[in-house]
């Protein structure tokens, strides 16, 4: 605020003119400087207030001027008043345009934002999408299929010998009447091979079922993602190359290894390990002292599988792999109990949205 | 399966440490899940040097020594061993050690001299019977080094994950064969002292024979592929020798008595399960392999009475079953302290029958595990000889009569031609014919190079997994080593399969819902269900969740209740997943999206007014559910393609495409606490999941590609002329809904109507009963000019006249 205007009780016309000019100049500046309606109102009272406004003083003093000076002084007074009133109105409109002054620039900027709820994909979805992204770079597309399947698509076409211990690893949930809940996504291999001629490069995500009781590390329904590549001349080298490339992209540049395994629908079969990220291969509790963590099963598609799907197994060959995005999500996020993925507790899901 | 490191070394010489052996077996044969050092009780024992040794002043057989155990100070230790000598290294148990026999080593005074620990003899360490003196170590190790590090004193158990196609690996012999190929050493069965009894040559019969006064008969073909029996008389049942106990212990098998231990030893050594019957307990001098009679009972060795079915095979005497074939013996004829004569059975039971019986009895044993996977019939004679000799060696007795061998014979395997060119196609690298043959010979195949391209292979009888060329190619790959193949990316052709349209649709809907602030869930799809209208799981994990869901809102409602029970009331959950309805064959499967909202529309903020009215306004209601439904409908079916039809009771809107119901918006009734806000749900079908057969087995049905539809809304010119608006405040009878009024307005407003917005509803007050006031803002725009006031007035008059005439809707008098 400015100090009171230095206007002598009986000013000369020159003094009056000079002071009036100063006052209107200051008033215009103050109005323009007001950041919000409150400040503008305070400035209005200071300069244009009916009782104690500074301009009011000039109106009073007007009568004390020599008579001959009064017309000119009066004209100047009116001009100054008009100038100030215009400046006030201009600023008032500007401030109104800025909206509520407290939101334009709140006094305390440490206070919290007004948020909306944030959405989030499920962590298993995030893992699937990441895997999908890497395989898309290598020319794969997405195929899916039904969860309720026939015995033939789930087992027969995939070279499972009937009534064999290999079935023990696929403890199956059967449906009343016909069919079963697929124990793996591999039936979609057969459906795809029957539907489209090679070359085939597909990634198959989906839900699968096992008759496993729900406990911290098992669930009766879980996600699987598998890949299938069939063409002329596709070999074990292509399998190793593609999956090694994938592992390097997904797990970082950690050493990988392939070791013999068995699946009825692939031959040769290979399990792929990545060096344990916790101990760096030295051996620890996480990797059961082996230095390696299993990430996926794979193999060259068994000729019997190609033949079951009506594909010439002499002309075409290829490979397949499968892995569990749920297990990956668990180790990635450090989730202690697989059931957390299914509970749908918003306090967990909101963590993902952060 | 458990194998012992030392036992393997007795079969094939190798130098690999247990850890190296683990890596070797894992990389070439089967994964070793675990290495279990068996003598961890020796972990506290360290190597120590005796620095001084002097006679005990008060004893003529004790020594007083100063011992360097690597602790930085010399320890006083009293020792009674005659062979203690200054400068030498011995195993040393520091104070605080618990010895294998349970003795705890403490600091104590022996005849006035302090002793801080113990220098150990082999017996004290459980390493043998020698107690003559302490164990002198001729190793180069600093005092303080753990004893186990310098002396591989303890055996190590390897837990191998043997795949179901490789029963030949279920024995030390089988694993040793693979190691032998890797380290290029021969496999020989370890010599056992006294195991050289002469055994008459078995007499081979087709179905029936006699040995040692017992009739042996196989009643039906198909029950057993080979059945051998021998009678041993004059045995003395008692404890097994130390070495036998230790061998069995190393594979996790408890010692029972010398006869039973001998059979178990052979099971683990050769993979041949055998069984010894107490001959005197067998009735009628006969042993019969036959089908069980339905309802027949037997008490098995584990003391449990089991009721048999006629699909099972038993070994019976003249009267009753004495064993469940291939699974477990009966308690009646169990070998006991008083047994002096036994009948030894060495058989190869049918895998499928054994498996079925094991499953229905819920009884898995070391024997059933092997028979289910297949026991080589050609192994039986050698296994019989080995078992008899071992029994005679540890329990005495003799075989007077030629054993019986009921065996119709197996057809000889045909040679398999293996093409070297095919090896190259599948494995992607050239493996020359000579190398192929030599790799296969290493593990027992008879492989001969026939031409540049063909290696002719005879499979050994124990490799029942090898049946076609591809099986041999796998052998080549693993024996050469998976690591030996390159991993370079080679040129490839793009695939023929387009992205599945349903997958793309699901992704679009998911992205939209996440963008709208919802949280994706992936719960279990099992529900309480009901006998009709639901698909039932025949063998459910839990009876209260025995059905598959028919809609996602069922699952989401339970998940909401889960959250409410945890005091979480602000929910916005969704799931995209399969739903199931009963159908003629496979269930009718549909991909659905479901979404559930309840509670606050957004997190509270300090600027929010503190009023009930505001809280109500900030709570999810039916209009939010409708917006969510519109969002997913527009994504899934295209803008405006789904019509919202008023539903009944708790159904708010039925979602329809034409006449077809594709979804629902409903108020949900949950099991909710009093503080919970109302819950609303949206469910929409994203299409049927086709589960029909694509083509018959062995055939294909190639068709053109199915691509996801491309949905493009054409460009609409961005307006260059100003809009003119018109507000209509209307008095609408309760019987007329807003949608009808809107349609009527659109009917007559003309082409220039750009948008129509309902912005107010109220009733009561000055509004007459039976009506409500609704207000719309109509926006008109001409593409080339500003509409005049007169034109607008004309439109207003038209609209109002039409509304009054058709719907009895009038302007509200102000």
């Amino acid at each position: 605020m400015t100090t009171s205007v230095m206007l002598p009780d009986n000013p000369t016309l020159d003094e009056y003119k000079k002071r009036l000019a100063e006052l209107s100049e200051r008033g215009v500046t103050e109005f323009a400087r007001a950041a919000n309606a409150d400040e503008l109102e305070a400035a209005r009272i200071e300069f244009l207030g009916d009782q104690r406004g500074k301009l009011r003083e000039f109106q009073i003093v007007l009568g004390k001027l020599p008579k001959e000076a009064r017309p000119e002084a009066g004209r100047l007074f009116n001009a100054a008043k008009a100038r100030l009133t215009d400046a006030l109105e201009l600023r008032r409109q500007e401030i109104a345009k800025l909206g509520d002054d407290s939101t334009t620039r709140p006094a305390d900027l440490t206070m919290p934002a007004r948020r909306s709820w944030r959405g989030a994909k499920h962590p298993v979805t995030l893992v699937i999408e990441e895997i999908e992204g890497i395989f898309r770079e290598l020319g794969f597309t997405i195929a899916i299929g039904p969860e309720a399947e026939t015995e033939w698509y789930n087992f027969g076409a995939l070279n499972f010998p009937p009534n064999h211990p290999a079935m023990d690893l696929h403890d199956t949930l059967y449906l009343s009447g016909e069919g079963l809940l697929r124990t793996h996504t591999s039936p979609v291999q057969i459906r795809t091979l029957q539907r489209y001629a090679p070359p085939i490069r597909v990634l198959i995500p989906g839900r699968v079922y096992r008759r496993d009781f729900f406990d911290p590390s098992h669930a009766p329904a879980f996600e699987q993602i598998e890949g299938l590549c069939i063409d002329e001349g596709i070999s074990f080298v292509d399998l190793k190359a593609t999956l090694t490339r994938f592992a390097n992209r997904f797990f970082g540049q950690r050493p990988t290894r392939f070791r013999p395994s068995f699946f009825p629908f692939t031959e040769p079969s290979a399990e792929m390990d990545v060096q344990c990220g916790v101990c760096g291969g030295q051996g620890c509790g996480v990797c059961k002292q082996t230095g390696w963590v299993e990430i996926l099963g794979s193999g060259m598609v068994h000729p019997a599988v190609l033949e079951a799907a009506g594909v010439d197994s002499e002309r075409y060959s290829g490979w397949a792999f499968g892995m569990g995005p749920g297990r990956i999500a668990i180790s990635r996020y450090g989730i202690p109990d697989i059931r957390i993925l299914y509970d749908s507790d918003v306090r967990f899901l909101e963590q993902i949205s952060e | 399966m458990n194998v012992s490191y030392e036992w393997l070394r007795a079969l094939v010489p190798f130098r690999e440490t247990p850890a190296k052996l683990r890596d070797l077996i894992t990389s070439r044969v089967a994964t070793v899940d675990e290495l279990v050092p068996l003598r961890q009780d020796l972990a506290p024992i360290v190597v120590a040097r005796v620095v001084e040794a002097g006679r005990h002043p008060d004893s003529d057989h004790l020594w007083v020594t100063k011992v360097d155990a690597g602790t930085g100070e010399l320890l006083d230790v009293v020792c009674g061993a005659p062979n203690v000598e200054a400068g030498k290294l011995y195993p040393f148990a520091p104070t605080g050690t618990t010895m294998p026999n349970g003795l705890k080593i403490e600091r104590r005074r022996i005849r006035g001299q302090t002793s801080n620990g113990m220098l150990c003899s082999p017996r004290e360490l459980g390493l043998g019977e020698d107690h003559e003196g302490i164990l002198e170590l001729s190793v180069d190790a600093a005092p303080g080094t753990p004893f186990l590090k310098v002396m591989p004193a303890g055996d190590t158990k390897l837990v191998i994950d043997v795949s179901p196609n490789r029963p030949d690996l279920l024995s030390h012999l089988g694993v040793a064969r693979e190691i032998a190929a890797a380290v290029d050493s021969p496999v020989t069965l370890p010599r056992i002292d006294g195991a050289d009894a002469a055994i008459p040559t078995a007499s081979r019969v087709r179905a029936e024979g006699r040995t040692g006064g017992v009739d042996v008969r196989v009643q039906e073909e198909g029950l057993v592929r080979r059945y051998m029996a021998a009678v041993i008389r004059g045995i003395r049942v008692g404890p097994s020798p130390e070495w036998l106990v230790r061998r069995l212990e190393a594979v996790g098998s408890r010692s029972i008595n010398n006869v039973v231990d001998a059979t178990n030893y052979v099971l683990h050594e050769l993979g041949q399960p055998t069984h010894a019957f107490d001959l005197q307990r067998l009735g009628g001098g006969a042993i019969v392999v036959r089908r069980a009679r339905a309802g027949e009972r037997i008490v098995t060795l584990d003391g449990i009475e089991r009721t048999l079915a006629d699909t099972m095979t038993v070994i019976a005497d003249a009267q009753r079953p004495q064993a469940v074939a291939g699974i477990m013996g009966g308690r009646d004829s169990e070998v006991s302290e008083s047994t002096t004569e036994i009948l030894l059975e060495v058989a190869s039971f049918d895998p499928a029958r054994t498996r079925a019986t094991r499953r229905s009895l819920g009884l898995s044993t070391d024997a059933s595990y092997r028979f289910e996977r297949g026991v080589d019939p050609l192994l039986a004679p050698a296994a019989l000889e080995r078992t008899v000799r071992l029994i005679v060696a540890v329990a005495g007795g003799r075989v007077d009569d030629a054993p019986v061998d009921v065996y119709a014979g197996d057809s000889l395997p045909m040679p398999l031609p293996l093409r070297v060119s095919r090896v190259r196609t599948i494995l992607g690298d050239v493996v020359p014919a000579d190398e192929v043959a030599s790799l296969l010979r290493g593990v027992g195949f008879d492989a001969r190079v026939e031409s540049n391209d063909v290696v002719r292979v005879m499979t050994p009888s124990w490799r029942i997994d090898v049946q076609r060329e591809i099986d041999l190619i796998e052998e080549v790959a693993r024996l050469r080593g998976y690591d030996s193949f390159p991993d370079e990316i080679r040129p490839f052709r793009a695939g023929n399969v387009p992205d599945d349209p349903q997958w793309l649709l699901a992704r679009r809907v998911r992205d939209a819902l996440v963008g709208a602030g919802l949280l994706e869930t992936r719960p279990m799809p099992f529900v309480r269900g009901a006998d009709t209208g639901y698909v039932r799981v025949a063998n459910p994990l839990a009876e209260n969740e025995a059905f598959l869901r028919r809609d996602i809102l069922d699952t989401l409602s339970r998940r909401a209740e889960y959250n409410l029970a945890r005091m979480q009331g602000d929910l916005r959950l969704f799931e995209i997943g399969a739903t199931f309805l009963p159908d003629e064959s496979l269930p009718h499967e549909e991909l659905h999206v479901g979404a559930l909202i309840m509670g606050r529309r957004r997190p509270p903020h300090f600027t929010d007014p503190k009023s009930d009215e505001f809280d109500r306004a900030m709570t999810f209601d039916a209009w939010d559910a409708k917006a969510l439904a519109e969002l997913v409908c527009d994504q899934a079916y295209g803008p405006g393609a789904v019509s919202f039809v008023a539903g009944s009771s708790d159904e708010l809107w039925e979602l329809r495409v034409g006449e077809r119901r594709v979804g629902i918006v409903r108020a949900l009734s949950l099991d909710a606490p009093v503080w919970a806000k109302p819950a609303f749900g949206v469910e929409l079908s994203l299409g049927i999941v086709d589960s029909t057969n694509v083509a018959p087995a062995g055939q294909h049905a190639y068709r053109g590609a199915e691509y996801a539809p491309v949905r493009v809304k054409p460009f609409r010119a961005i307006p260059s002329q100003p809009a003119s608006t018109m507000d209509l405040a209307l008095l609408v009878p309760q019987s007329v809904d807003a949608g009808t009024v809107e349609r009527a307005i659109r009917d007559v407003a003309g082409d220039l109507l750009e948008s129509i917005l309902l912005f107010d509803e109220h009733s009561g007050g000055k509004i007459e009963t039976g009506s409500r006031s609704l207000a719309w803002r109509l926006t008109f725009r001409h593409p080339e000019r500003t509409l005049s006031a007169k034109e607008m007035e004309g439109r207003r008059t038209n609209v109002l006249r039409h509304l009054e005439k058709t719907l009895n809707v009038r302007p509200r008098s102000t």
Side-chain angles (χ1 to χ4, degrees):
Chain A
M1 288 288 147
T2 47
T3 50
S4 75
V5 173
M6 314 268 250
L7 189 63
D9 279 351
N10 295 299
T12 64
L13 177 61
D14 281 353
E15 275 175 332
Y16 187 88
K17 278 161 76 174
K18 190 177 164 221
R19 303 288 175 196
L20 187 63
E22 281 172 14
L23 177 82
S24 70
E25 197 56 46
R26 264 217 325 271
V28 167
T29 312
E30 285 292 316
F31 290 159
R33 199 182 283 162
N36 54 47
D38 288 348
E39 283 180 32
L40 188 62
E41 177 63 8
R44 184 193 68 81
I45 291 167
E46 185 186 347
F47 291 93
L48 292 169
D50 286 348
Q51 301 302 317
R52 294 199 196 107
K54 287 178 177 144
L55 196 64
R56 172 87 181 134
E57 248 178 281
F58 284 79
Q59 195 179 2
I60 295 164
V61 168
L62 204 57
K64 296 177 183 171
L65 287 173
K67 227 177 180 160
E68 66 279 4
R70 281 183 206 165
E72 189 185 352
R75 203 170 29 79
L76 287 171
F77 174 84
N78 285 337
K81 186 173 179 183
R83 187 178 169 215
L84 282 169
T85 312
D86 287 353
L88 175 71
E89 191 50 37
L90 178 71
R91 186 61 189 154
R92 183 172 284 153
Q93 284 173 15
E94 283 173 356
I95 284 173
K97 261 187 213 159
L98 290 174
D100 184 353
D101 44 277
S102 64
T103 54
T104 310
R105 187 179 168 83
D108 181 353
L109 296 173
T110 63
M111 293 175 90
R114 182 185 294 118
R115 277 198 174 193
S116 309
W117 295 126
R118 291 184 185 179
K121 290 174 184 172
H122 192 276
V124 171
T125 305
L126 295 175
V127 170
I128 291 172
E129 287 187 347
E130 197 178 331
I131 295 168
E132 182 188 333
I134 296 170
F135 276 93
R136 282 198 187 281
E137 292 171 6
L138 295 162
F140 284 73
T141 52
I142 302 277
I144 53 176
E147 293 174 18
E149 265 295 3
T150 64
E151 187 105 28
W152 186 75
Y153 274 109
N154 196 72
F155 291 123
L158 289 159
N159 197 35
F160 277 78
N163 207 15
H164 187 269
M167 308 270 286
D168 290 353
L169 302 171
H170 289 248
D171 214 345
T172 309
L173 288 166
Y174 289 92
L175 300 174
S176 293
E178 252 178 79
L180 47 78
L181 289 168
R182 64 178 179 191
T183 58
H184 48 181
T185 42
S186 307
V188 185
Q189 288 188 17
I190 306 297
R191 290 183 174 277
T192 306
L193 288 170
Q194 285 189 319
R195 172 74 181 75
Y196 290 100
I200 304 273
R201 291 175 83 82
V202 289
L203 204 59
I204 305 163
R207 174 155 272 192
V208 303
Y209 299 80
R210 300 277 168 95
R211 199 170 184 283
D212 278 337
F213 284 94
F214 217 4
D215 69 24
S217 49
H218 296 90
F222 55 96
E223 302 303 314
Q224 200 174 60
I225 187 161
E226 68 180 71
L228 174 70
C229 169
I230 303 288
D231 199 359
E232 292 174 18
I234 298 289
S235 75
F236 189 63
V237 169
D238 299 305
L239 177 157
K240 280 188 72 176
T242 312
L243 296 179
T244 303
R245 171 76 72 98
F246 161 73
N248 287 340
R249 292 272 279 103
F250 193 83
F251 296 99
Q253 298 288 333
R254 278 148 62 184
T256 54
R257 71 171 184 185
F258 290 85
R259 59 190 156 79
S261 187
F262 167 73
F263 308 103
F265 38 93
T266 54
E267 180 128 35
S269 300
E271 231 136 355
M272 188 186 195
D273 297 336
V274 63
Q275 193 177 69
C276 178
V278 176
C279 62
Q282 297 305 300
C284 67
V286 172
C287 59
K288 291 198 291 181
Q289 308 303 327
T290 61
W292 297 96
V293 179
E294 180 185 326
I295 53 167
L296 57 84
S298 66
M300 299 303 294
V301 176
H302 198 291
V305 172
L306 296 175
E307 289 151 18
V311 177
D312 179 351
S313 65
E314 275 294 309
R315 179 171 171 198
Y316 294 105
S317 56
W319 55 268
F321 81 95
M323 63 197 293
R327 293 210 173 276
I328 290 172
I330 278 178
S331 74
R332 197 160 251 219
Y333 294 90
I335 297 166
D337 186 326
I338 203 168
R339 289 173 289 197
I340 290 172
L341 294 178
Y342 299 83
D343 286 341
S344 316
D345 191 318
V346 288
R347 292 165 298 180
F348 167 66
L349 299 171
E350 279 169 358
Q351 289 176 17
I352 309 299
S353 73
E354 278 163 10
Chain B
M1 188 204 41
N2 298 335
V3 294
S4 143
Y5 174 78
E6 292 297 343
W7 198 338
L8 289 173
R9 279 224 296 197
L11 282 153
V12 56
F14 58 83
R15 288 207 197 83
E16 280 70 13
T17 61
K20 282 264 183 283
L21 185 68
R22 172 193 63 195
D23 293 346
L24 184 150
I25 295 174
T26 296
S27 67
R28 293 174 53 103
V29 187
T31 302
V32 178
D33 282 337
E34 225 182 326
L35 273 190
V36 187
L38 295 176
R39 291 306 305 272
Q40 282 313 289
D41 51 346
L42 296 183
I45 310 293
V46 296
V47 175
R49 187 184 301 282
V50 171
V51 178
E52 286 174 39
R55 286 282 176 195
H56 191 287
D58 298 329
S59 164
D60 52 3
H61 68 277
L62 291 177
W63 298 79
V64 179
T65 65
K66 289 214 178 288
V67 170
D68 175 7
T71 54
E73 50 172 344
L74 293 183
L75 302 170
D76 292 316
V77 174
V78 177
C79 171
N83 64 333
V84 64
E85 201 177 315
K88 299 226 157 141
L89 296 171
Y90 303 97
F92 174 72
T95 53
T97 305
T98 302
M99 299 301 291
N101 64 3
L103 176 75
K104 183 149 189 201
I105 305 297
E106 276 158 21
R107 182 165 186 251
R108 59 191 187 113
R109 292 182 75 80
I110 301 169
R111 298 211 188 161
Q113 297 291 323
T114 304
S115 186
N116 298 289
M118 183 169 83
L119 295 162
C120 309
S121 70
R123 192 164 87 179
E124 283 158 344
L125 295 175
L127 295 175
E129 295 306 305
D130 185 2
H131 197 45
E132 290 306 299
I134 51 179
L135 178 63
E136 192 181 311
L137 302 173
S138 50
V139 295
D140 182 19
T145 310
F147 173 69
L148 284 177
K149 217 167 191 173
V150 299
M151 284 285 287
D155 196 353
T156 301
K157 180 170 79 178
L158 292 85
V159 183
I160 306 182
D161 180 13
V162 175
S163 56
N165 64 327
R166 289 292 306 270
D168 63 296
L169 292 177
L170 295 172
S171 67
H172 285 79
L173 173 67
V175 177
R177 257 188 220 120
E178 294 282 350
I179 298 170
V183 303
D184 201 16
S185 296
V187 177
T188 46
L189 290 190
R191 226 192 74 77
I192 296 169
D193 283 342
D196 43 16
I199 306 164
T201 310
S203 54
R204 189 155 151 198
V205 294
R206 284 199 71 85
E208 208 168 338
R210 189 174 169 83
T211 182
V214 182
D215 286 322
V216 176
R217 185 157 43 98
V218 174
Q219 206 166 51
E220 191 181 322
E221 258 178 63
L223 301 180
V224 63
R225 295 172 68 187
R226 188 169 198 169
Y227 195 90
M228 296 186 74
V231 168
I232 311 176
R233 297 187 200 274
I235 58 163
R236 180 176 288 153
V237 176
S240 291
E242 172 82 20
W243 70 265
L244 181 52
V245 174
R246 199 116 47 85
R247 280 280 184 260
L248 292 177
E249 240 172 29
V251 295
S253 182
R254 197 170 46 87
S255 169
I256 294 168
N257 60 47
N258 48 10
V259 172
V260 174
D261 288 359
T263 62
N264 279 337
Y265 177 92
V266 172
L267 179 139
H268 289 288
E269 185 182 66
L270 304 180
Q272 171 71 61
T274 62
H275 184 66
F277 297 91
D278 184 333
L279 187 55
Q280 281 150 337
R281 312 278 306 180
L282 295 179
I287 205 89
V288 185
V289 182
R290 64 162 165 86
R291 257 172 212 278
R293 300 182 186 109
E296 207 166 27
R297 286 160 193 267
I298 180 173
V299 178
T300 42
L301 282 173
D302 52 10
I304 296 171
E305 175 168 282
R306 299 176 187 275
T307 307
L308 307 173
D310 61 3
T311 52
M312 302 175 181
T313 310
V314 294
I315 315 304
D317 59 17
Q319 287 96 37
R320 56 208 164 94
Q322 293 291 355
V324 183
I327 297 180
M328 194 179 265
R331 200 168 57 176
D332 266 6
S333 51
E334 182 180 5
V335 171
S336 69
E337 297 278 310
S338 59
T339 303
T340 58
E341 302 174 359
I342 59 166
L343 180 130
L344 179 70
E345 161 195 293
V346 180
S348 176
F349 291 105
D350 178 65
R353 291 181 66 89
T354 309
R355 176 177 156 81
T357 306
R358 186 268 296 169
R359 283 165 73 95
S360 62
L361 290 180
L363 177 62
S364 183
T365 61
D366 281 341
S368 70
Y369 195 82
R370 286 165 177 79
F371 284 126
E372 259 186 63
R373 284 158 177 77
V375 170
D376 178 10
L378 298 190
L379 178 61
L384 180 110
E385 185 184 272
R386 183 84 169 156
T387 314
V388 169
R389 285 184 171 159
L390 184 51
I391 289 173
V392 172
V394 298
R398 65 198 178 278
V399 176
D400 296 328
D401 202 2
V404 170
D405 180 8
V406 184
Y407 184 40
D410 282 289
S411 53
L412 280 175
M414 295 294 287
L416 271 176
L418 170 59
R419 291 166 295 166
V420 174
S421 55
R422 189 71 183 160
V423 172
R424 183 186 177 173
T425 303
I426 299 295
L427 300 183
D429 203 6
V430 177
V431 188
D434 288 343
E435 190 185 344
V436 166
S438 120
L439 288 170
L440 291 171
R441 279 196 294 266
V443 289
F445 291 88
D446 177 3
R448 264 168 241 181
V449 179
E450 209 171 72
S451 70
N452 274 347
D453 191 38
V454 177
V455 178
R456 196 156 290 272
V457 183
M458 293 289 291
T459 304
S461 62
W462 60 84
R463 289 301 302 272
I464 54 172
D465 60 310
V466 176
Q467 281 161 7
R468 45 191 287 187
E469 188 182 39
I470 193 69
D471 301 318
L472 292 170
I473 294 174
E474 175 172 61
E475 290 299 292
V476 171
R478 73 173 181 88
L479 294 170
R480 189 170 187 250
Y482 285 1
D483 286 346
S484 72
F485 295 90
D487 58 7
E488 77 222 6
I489 296 265
R490 292 180 176 171
F492 61 83
R493 297 200 287 179
N496 236 346
V497 187
D499 274 326
D500 188 289
Q502 217 164 44
W503 173 264
L504 297 178
L505 173 58
R507 190 173 68 185
R508 200 162 61 228
V509 169
R510 181 185 298 116
D511 286 345
L513 288 171
V514 169
L518 273 74
L519 300 166
E520 189 189 16
T521 66
R522 287 177 172 272
M524 279 294 155
F526 304 108
V527 294
R528 180 170 293 276
D531 282 328
T532 52
Y534 286 85
V535 175
R536 191 184 157 84
V537 176
N539 54 342
L541 286 155
E543 274 307 320
N544 61 357
E545 289 191 335
F547 293 91
L548 293 174
R549 63 176 172 200
R550 34 181 302 141
D551 55 73
I552 299 219
L553 285 177
D554 192 352
T555 317
L556 285 182
S557 296
R558 302 293 85 73
R559 293 299 96 204
E561 286 162 0
Y562 177 96
N563 277 287
L564 291 170
R566 284 153 186 81
M567 308 302 288
Q568 302 298 312
D570 291 330
L571 305 177
R572 57 257 172 250
L573 307 173
F574 80 94
E575 190 200 344
I576 299 172
T579 60
F580 305 86
L581 290 174
D583 205 344
E584 276 174 18
S585 48
L586 284 181
H588 173 83
E589 189 172 328
E590 269 186 36
L591 188 68
H592 278 200
V593 56
L596 178 151
I597 49 172
M598 72 187 298
R600 278 183 286 233
R601 282 206 186 103
R602 62 161 170 80
H605 191 252
F606 67 89
T607 55
D608 291 346
K610 308 295 174 282
S611 74
D612 290 349
E613 194 185 353
F614 182 80
D615 287 349
R616 265 196 303 281
M618 283 301 291
T619 302
F620 280 128
D621 62 19
W623 304 113
D624 295 296
K626 190 178 191 189
L628 214 48
E630 287 174 352
L631 178 70
V632 292
C633 287
D634 287 353
Q635 292 296 332
Y637 292 88
V642 178
S643 53
F644 285 59
V645 180
S648 54
S649 69
D650 65 337
E651 288 186 356
L652 296 169
W653 293 276
E654 194 180 291
L655 308 176
R656 285 193 197 158
V657 171
E659 288 305 301
R660 186 163 55 94
R661 175 180 166 129
V662 291
I664 193 78
V665 183
R666 63 167 80 238
L668 299 170
S669 43
L670 303 181
D671 179 7
V674 285
W675 51 264
K677 300 284 193 279
F680 298 90
V682 177
E683 175 116 15
L684 180 70
S685 171
L686 301 180
I688 294 169
V689 179
D690 184 9
S691 55
T692 53
N693 291 358
V694 182
Q699 295 176 34
H700 59 70
Y702 300 151
R703 305 194 297 278
E706 263 166 51
Y707 296 108
V710 179
R711 212 177 274 132
V712 178
K713 280 191 100 172
F715 174 76
R716 280 174 298 179
I718 295 163
S720 60
Q721 299 297 317
S724 308
T725 60
M726 168 201 306
D727 287 357
L728 296 174
L730 303 171
L731 204 57
V732 180
Q734 293 289 7
S735 57
V736 178
D737 61 35
T740 308
V741 178
E742 272 196 28
R743 272 193 304 278
I745 294 173
R746 283 182 194 282
D747 285 347
V748 291
D751 292 345
L752 301 184
L753 178 65
E754 187 177 82
S755 68
I756 179 165
L757 172 76
L758 178 74
F759 67 90
D760 186 46
E761 180 203 23
H762 71 272
S763 55
K766 285 182 187 164
I767 311 299
E768 60 193 69
T769 18
S771 290
R772 55 184 175 148
S773 160
L774 295 175
W776 277 273
R777 173 159 300 156
L778 278 54
T779 304
F780 293 87
R781 197 190 303 265
H782 192 286
E784 280 139 21
R785 58 183 175 82
T786 309
L787 288 167
S788 71
K790 208 175 147 198
E791 286 172 308
M792 290 297 285
E793 224 17 75
R795 288 188 161 76
R796 175 188 292 274
T797 312
N798 272 346
V799 168
L800 290 178
R801 195 180 295 146
H802 180 68
L803 288 178
E804 176 150 18
K805 201 171 77 189
T806 58
L807 298 171
N808 192 28
V809 167
R810 286 164 293 123
R812 198 179 74 205
S813 49
T814 40

